[in-house]
Amino acid sequence: MAPSRSLLTVFSLLFVAQACSSAKIEWGPCQDGEFNFTLTEVQCGTLSVPLDYTSKVSNQSIELELVKVLAPVQPSRGSIQLNFGGPGVPTRNYAVAVGPVLQILSGGVYDLIGFDPRGTGKTIPFVCTDDAFTIGQMLSEDFRSTLESDTMGRRMWERARVDANICLRGGNGNKTGEFVGTAFVARDVMSVAEAAGEDGLLRYWGFSYGTTLGATLVSMFPDKVDKVILDGVQNAHEYYHAHADYEEWTDSDSIFSYFFESCLTAPPGRCALSALNKTAAELERDAWAFIDSLNTAPMPAGTTLVDSAIVKGYILGQLKYTGTWLLFSSLLATLVYGTRSEAIRTLEFIVEEAEATGELGVDSFDIQDNLWAIHCGDRTVRLDSWETQETEGVFERLYNTSRLVGDIVTPISAHCAQWPWRAKESYDGDFNVKTRKPVLVASNTRDSHTPLRSAKNLTAGLEGSGLLEVKATGHATLNAPSVCGYLATVAYWLNGTLPQEGRVCEAPHPFVDYGWEDVLMEVGVGNATAVQRRALNPLKRRGWL
Ligand SMILES: *[C@@H]1O[C@H](CO)[C@@H](O)[C@H](O)[C@H]1NC(C)=O
Ligand SMILES: *[C@@H]1O[C@H](CO)[C@@H](O)[C@H](O)[C@H]1NC(C)=O
Ligand SMILES: *[C@@H]1O[C@H](CO)[C@@H](O)[C@H](O)[C@H]1NC(C)=O
Ligand SMILES: *[C@@H]1O[C@H](CO)[C@@H](O)[C@H](O)[C@H]1NC(C)=O
Ligand SMILES: *[C@@H]1O[C@H](CO)[C@@H](O)[C@H](O)[C@H]1NC(C)=O
Ligand SMILES: *[C@@H]1O[C@H](CO)[C@@H](O)[C@H](O)[C@H]1NC(C)=O
Ligand SMILES: *[C@@H]1O[C@H](CO)[C@@H](O)[C@H](O)[C@H]1NC(C)=O
Ligand SMILES: *[C@@H]1O[C@H](CO)[C@@H](O)[C@H](O)[C@H]1NC(C)=O
């Protein structure tokens, strides 16, 4: 896709964390037409926060632009703040787009608040360059398959250095690079909670990287926790202190295998590959033969030269949400078993879809300067040069972790290893805290991006927290609709109830067509288009309201 321009221990003496506690957010209509696409009621507001929470002298501030998706039941019980991950994903648009589902999952009684985290969208976006030629160079070289040969690895490493130079010399890096770290975003979230005119306590719902922000939040402000759900968990220890996010990709390969296995048990007509009279292992072997063939014979698809890295990125994107598997299985059947010209036509379709929908689906198509800025600034470690055993070990370990993902995510580590900025503040505790109220951690059994083990790791550190496990496939339980997951999530938001220890929620077969609308039908809520109000009936019946 086109490069997205939108896209407690440290210094504790310095902080006046509760600064500006008198500020209060004024809510009003949003700018004309900004959220035209939504059916729910939305308001906007702004809050001024310090640019640099660690400085005693600077009085520079930044404006957070906030959006609030109003609860169908008013007056609401307060608001829940959101983060959808990346890092680098702006929150405002997602909050409005996903809002209706989150309203249902929170019982319809909470407002939902989002602001773009620093470095993204409307909040001091981190920009490396606006120069189209330079962007073109970054795009054409990044995210190529890197470890197929030593030369490619070396090239990727030096490319990352050049990218860092571009960010240093162009764009606004020197003005923003130090200020976009996660600890500052956590303080922004608390500033919003304090200025929301409620109880000043933290209600927060984070997905994917949003769980790292969430783990940081509850560790920095354990006494402020009212209700927090962290869904699709990243290992926050590795996020900050390792050279790569190894653990994130531990289950990616096995979930790719599971795609083929579950294809063969899918209901008739739901998986195109099942008609081929092949075993799951044979299907997977053939798919890999196709992927590998692109190393030596890449395919021209419109304006994109498709190589194995791009196809692997596409596949990784498809593993996020099984709702796409019907289409994915038929596209893959054509790629692997069709003629070359059929394959090229299919790739053109895939590339066009990816360009139309933005970053969703094809992880590898984006230059991700705001991801680098946030993640690399947060990282506490660097690497000296390409020619050290340590560097070699990092990339080899990533490669060993996943055949599907290992090499396409190495550029992130290469950029972070040579990144010129460090976040002005970082949380460097161990995430072992006792929160005021228990946190709910959530994960699917099979998550290609954030494995269940990371959720268990976080749960072990947060005293009193509970784990919601949904026996489904996809990235975060939000992407895996189930009645049991719905009931557990609603019970937590309405009543603070944690799932029974060891309880695992059942979910439908991944190739069955099943969405949150179906969940609502099953629990008797009816039609998703009229969802906000009707969502409440079964909850009333269950005595939650
Ligand atoms: C949104 O709606 C307003 C009022 O109807 C209209 O003027 C505006 O052009 C629309 N904006 C978009 C982006 O569609
Ligand atoms: C911020 O600080 C500078 C220098 O200390 C001062 O000149 C300026 O008036 C201050 N601005 C505000 C809004 O307080
Ligand atoms: C950016 O900041 C660094 C460190 O302060 C400085 O060495 C470098 O010259 C600055 N670069 C530009 C282009 O301003
Ligand atoms: C399916 O494959 C098996 C083993 O390769 C073969 O014996 C069988 O005849 C095939 N069935 C059909 C319908 O092609
Ligand atoms: C990667 O896997 C190879 C082969 O199993 C092994 O020899 C090597 O030690 C592994 N490297 C790392 C860094 O884990
Ligand atoms: C969590 O993960 C970190 C990083 O891999 C590890 O050091 C730590 O021991 C783990 N904690 C638990 C309880 O497994
Ligand atoms: C609400 O919480 C109370 C106390 O924690 C518990 O006994 C009750 O079963 C919960 N109700 C629901 C509907 O989850
Ligand atoms: C939901 O409501 C819409 C509009 O009222 C209607 O067209 C649709 O058929 C309904 N769907 C179901 C599953 O009832």
Side-chain angles (χ1 to χ4, degrees), residues 188-210:
D188 291 342
V189 170
M190 277 319 300
S191 300
V192 171
E194 277 152 20
E198 301 165 10
D199 53 10
L201 296 175
L202 177 67
R203 280 168 294 278
Y204 171 83
W205 207 342
F207 305 90
S208 196
Y209 154 81

Side-chain angles (χ1 to χ4, degrees), residues 196-319:
E198 301 165 10
D199 53 10
L201 296 175
L202 177 67
R203 280 168 294 278
Y204 171 83
W205 207 342
F207 305 90
S208 196
Y209 154 81
T211 65
T212 295
L213 171 58
T216 307
L217 257 169
V218 303
S219 301
M220 286 170 74
F221 304 100
D223 302 336
K224 295 288 184 181
V225 172
D226 180 28
K227 295 194 174 83
V228 170
I229 296 187
L230 305 178
D231 185 10
V233 177
Q234 193 177 39
N235 186 311
H237 304 271
E238 284 196 346
Y239 172 88
Y240 285 109
H241 304 306
H243 288 293
D245 297 294
Y246 308 107
E247 191 171 284
E248 269 192 69
W249 314 113
T250 18
D251 289 351
S252 312
D253 286 2
S254 67
I255 292 165
F256 189 36
S257 303
Y258 178 74
F259 164 77
F260 296 105
E261 288 155 21
S262 57
C263 170
L264 299 185
T265 59
R270 301 283 312 169
C271 181
L273 291 161
S274 67
L276 297 167
N277 192 26
K278 286 181 186 273
T279 65
E282 286 164 351
L283 290 169
E284 184 174 351
R285 182 202 59 202
D286 293 349
W288 275 110
F290 169 76
I291 296 166
D292 290 340
S293 75
L294 294 168
N295 285 326
T296 44
M299 292 186 175
T303 54
T304 303
L305 182 61
V306 175
D307 58 13
S308 67
I310 286 182
V311 167
K312 284 190 275 193
Y314 164 69
I315 292 170
L316 180 63
Q318 299 307 300
L319 300 184

Side-chain angles (χ1 to χ4, degrees), residues 143-145 148 152 286-301 304-315 331-332 334-336 339-348 350-351 365 403-404 407-408:
F143 300 100
R144 290 296 84 104
S145 198
E148 301 297 340
M152 286 300 278
D286 293 349
W288 275 110
F290 169 76
I291 296 166
D292 290 340
S293 75
L294 294 168
N295 285 326
T296 44
M299 292 186 175
T304 303
L305 182 61
V306 175
D307 58 13
S308 67
I310 286 182
V311 167
K312 284 190 275 193
Y314 164 69
I315 292 170
L331 296 179
L332 200 58
T334 312
L335 290 177
V336 176
T339 63
R340 184 174 163 88
S341 62
E342 283 167 345
I344 288 175
R345 269 205 303 283
T346 302
L347 290 172
E348 277 169 0
I350 289 170
V351 168
F365 276 12
R403 181 179 182 189
L404 185 64
D407 58 352
I408 58 178

